[in-house]
Amino acid sequence: MNEFRSQLGGVVRDRAVLLTSALIGVFLWGLCALITANVARGYGAGQTTDVAMGYLYSYVGRSGYLLPFLIGVLVATQMFRHHTVARLVFYGSSRLRMYTNQAGSGLVVALIVAAVVVLGGVAAIAGVLTAIGEETALDDGTYWLMSLRTIAVFALWALIGFGLGMLVRNQVAAVVIVFVFAMLIEPTVTAICNESERMQRIGQYLPGGANWSAVWPVEAGSTNTSEMVQAGLSWQGGLGVLAAYAAVLLMAGYAVSLRKRDITA
C-alpha cells in the first residue's frame, strides 16, 4: 500500500496531468453549454425530444475520450520523462507490482477527473436548459445511467492510454499519436466503415464505434442510426470491447517496456 501511495502522489503532482485535465475539462464544459443552447433553440418551448436529450447528455462521453486517453499516456510516460523507472523498480517489491501501482494510480486520477468533468457537463447542460425555459429531463434515470457509463468508459480509455504510453515510452511521440488518432484516424476510418454493411460490422468493434455504443446505445427498433458503426453494439458490448483493448495494451506495454527490457532509466 505504501508503494501505491508513493506512486499515486507522483501522478497527482504531475503538472502535465493537472493542466491537461483542467484545460480540456473546462473546454468540454463550455462546449456542452454552447451545444445545448444551439440544440434547444432548434425546438419549440418544451418540445426538446428524447433523441436530442440523449445527444446532449452523451456529448462528453462521445467527444471527450481524448482527455482520459491523454491522462493514461502522460501517467505512463512520466516515468521515462523524469527517468524514475529504475528508482521505482529498485525501491519496489517487483516490476509487476510497480507497473500495476502506476496503472492503478492513473486509473484513480482518471476516475476523479471523469466524475468531475461528467458531472460538470451535466450541470452545464441542465443550467442552460433551465435558463432558456426547458425541462432538464434529469428526473429520468436514463441520463444519469448514461453519465455513469461515461465515467466507466473514461476509466477504460485511461488504461488504453497507459498501455499505449508504455509501448511508445516517448511522451511527445505518444501525445502526438493520441491527437492523430482522435482527430484524424478515428473519424476517417469511421466514415469509411459507414459506407458499406460489411465495413459497418467491422467498424463497430473499433475503439470509436465501441465508445459510442457504450455511452449512447441505440434503442431497440430505432432506425435512424442503427445501421451506423457508432451504434452497432449494446452498451455492454461497447464496454466489453473497450475493456478488451485496454487488457491487450496493458499486457503488451508491460511485456515490451518492463518485463523483457533492462532498466536503465
Side-chain angles (χ1 to χ4, degrees):
M1 182 57 73
N2 289 335
E3 293 178 30
F4 176 75
R5 288 176 179 171
S6 176
Q7 290 182 233
L8 178 60
V11 171
V12 171
R13 290 190 296 271
D14 189 278
R15 291 182 180 179
V17 173
L18 294 175
L19 286 174
T20 299
S21 301
L23 291 175
I24 297 181
V26 171
F27 184 65
L28 286 171
W29 292 344
L31 287 179
C32 284
L34 179 62
I35 291 172
T36 301
N38 288 335
V39 170
R41 285 171 178 165
Y43 292 87
Q47 297 181 356
T48 306
T49 64
D50 291 339
V51 173
M53 288 296 185
Y55 175 85
L56 294 175
Y57 285 114
S58 67
Y59 175 77
V60 171
R62 288 184 288 109
S63 304
Y65 68 88
L66 175 68
L67 173 56
F69 200 8
L70 279 174
I71 289 176
V73 163
L74 293 173
V75 170
T77 55
Q78 72 172 192
M79 298 185 295
F80 304 104
R81 180 166 63 92
H82 297 304
H83 305 288
T84 59
V85 180
R87 187 180 66 189
L88 290 172
V89 171
F90 180 79
Y91 288 107
S93 53
S94 70
R95 293 187 181 194
L96 179 59
R97 178 163 294 182
M98 185 278 282
Y99 183 77
T100 55
N101 283 341
Q102 191 73 5
S105 299
L107 180 61
V108 169
V109 171
L111 281 171
I112 294 172
V113 171
V116 172
V117 171
V118 171
L119 293 178
V122 170
I125 294 167
V128 173
L129 289 172
T130 301
I132 60 179
E134 290 284 340
E135 296 290 334
T136 64
L138 288 179
D139 55 342
D140 187 339
T142 299
Y143 305 115
W144 291 110
L145 291 175
M146 197 176 288
S147 298
L148 289 176
R149 291 200 300 272
T150 298
I151 293 174
V153 164
F154 274 25
L156 292 174
W157 274 107
L159 295 177
I160 291 172
F162 186 86
L164 174 65
M166 292 301 297
L167 287 172
V168 178
R169 291 163 53 98
N170 182 286
Q171 191 168 80
V172 174
V175 169
V176 170
I177 289 172
V178 170
F179 276 99
V180 170
F181 171 81
M183 297 182 176
L184 182 62
I185 296 177
E186 196 281 330
T188 303
V189 172
T190 297
I192 294 173
C193 288
N194 280 328
E195 294 299 323
S196 72
E197 184 176 352
R198 178 178 297 180
M199 293 298 292
Q200 289 165 8
R201 291 176 181 174
I202 298 172
Q204 66 187 355
Y205 293 100
L206 296 176
N211 182 91
W212 182 296
S213 296
V215 300
W216 192 22
V218 173
E219 297 179 358
S222 176
T223 58
N224 58 338
T225 57
S226 59
E227 295 181 355
M228 295 177 66
V229 167
Q230 296 95 326
L233 302 173
S234 64
W235 67 264
Q236 297 95 330
L239 287 175
V241 170
L242 291 175
Y245 279 113
V248 170
L249 283 168
L250 286 171
M251 289 187 288
Y254 175 69
V256 171
S257 291
L258 288 181
R259 186 172 181 271
K260 296 180 179 179
R261 184 185 290 268
D262 291 335
I263 304 299
T264 57

